[in-house]
Amino acid sequence: MTHAMPKLPYAMDALEPNMSQETLEYHYGKHLQTYINNLNNLVIGTKYENSPLEYIVSNADGPLFNNAAQAWNHTFFFESFSPTPQQAPTGKLLEAINRDFGSFDAFKEQFTKAAVGIFGSGWAWLVTNDAGVLSIVSESNAGNPLTKGLRPLLTCDVWEHAYYIDYRNSRPNFLNAFWNVVDWEKIEKRYEEK
Ligand code: MN
């Protein structure tokens, strides 16, 4: 089974000025493509040759895990955005955010703090457990909360390649822009489908 590049649900320049076309050309077009190429090369001859991507992420280790997780994480990340996003959650997800973080603003503050605070490369995640309780998880490198039995709802890539073209060294400025393009309608669907 060959793993394919996901289709972006928007044009390469659609997230400007928050994420530039040049950033997407590198981040989606080159970094993600490389992880998928590596995954397709590494999986040949292993017991995961015909496994779905999520199964590989949940079970593999070493270089195969790293490239499979980076493929999954980036696909999930890029599918979280819209040029015309619903700017805040509603419904059951908003209720859960208010219950577990106090308010939407308090959640954004805690998630931003987690993302900015990751030392080196990694990913900040909003996750739910099987009971629908939300939490924020920080992961290094290719880390993915699926390996801890948690279901991802939202992620922010804090590898420097995610922001260096647009924001240079300023990860906080990237986080400010990230919030402008997160489509909460999609995040709500993930929570309701979990
Ligand atoms: Mn990345």
Side-chain angles (χ1 to χ4, degrees):
M1 163 169 155
T2 301
H3 299 273
M5 277 287 277
K7 291 266 185 290
L8 279 184
Y10 40 78
M12 294 287 269
D13 62 353
L15 301 181
E16 292 195 346
N18 296 292
M19 285 183 203
S20 68
Q21 177 166 341
E22 188 182 1
T23 283
L24 284 181
E25 283 168 358
Y26 277 85
H27 197 188
Y28 168 81
K30 296 187 187 293
H31 288 278
L32 175 54
Q33 182 72 67
T34 299
Y35 294 126
I36 287 179
N37 292 347
N38 290 343
L39 164 64
N40 283 324
N41 290 329
L42 287 164
V43 80
I44 294 168
T46 73
K47 63 181 174 179
Y48 301 107
E49 205 162 15
N50 296 307
S51 302
L53 183 57
E54 189 167 314
Y55 183 85
I56 302 174
V57 172
S58 300
N59 293 281
D61 55 19
L64 180 56
F65 168 80
N66 286 337
N67 286 280
Q70 286 294 77
W72 195 101
N73 297 358
H74 282 91
T75 300
F76 191 78
F77 174 78
F78 288 121
E79 287 177 349
S80 302
F81 307 130
S82 165
T84 53
Q86 177 184 306
Q87 289 278 347
T90 59
K92 283 184 184 162
L93 179 59
L94 180 61
E95 284 171 27
I97 285 173
N98 288 338
R99 182 195 65 212
D100 297 333
F101 300 104
S103 68
F104 180 51
D105 284 345
F107 157 72
K108 281 169 75 175
E109 196 180 315
Q110 288 174 49
F111 186 99
T112 299
K113 194 174 169 194
V116 170
I118 292 169
F119 185 77
S121 296
W123 300 80
W125 301 85
L126 170 65
V127 300
T128 180
N129 68 8
D130 288 342
V133 176
L134 305 176
S135 58
I136 293 166
V137 174
S138 296
E139 296 276 2
S140 294
N141 301 317
N144 183 309
L146 285 169
T147 62
K148 302 179 167 88
L150 297 165
R151 167 66 46 185
L153 301 175
L154 173 68
T155 193
C156 186
D157 182 350
V158 299
W159 287 55
E160 280 188 349
H161 69 223
Y163 56 88
Y164 213 81
I165 291 170
D166 294 334
Y167 301 100
R168 295 302 174 191
N169 58 308
S170 181
R171 195 186 288 179
N173 288 352
F174 169 58
L175 262 291
N176 286 339
F178 167 83
W179 292 123
N180 291 335
V181 290
V182 170
D183 188 358
W184 284 97
E185 189 181 354
K186 289 181 187 164
I187 315 310
E188 281 173 29
K189 280 194 187 127
R190 289 171 179 166
Y191 185 60
E192 281 160 24
E193 286 165 4
K194 70 158 185 70

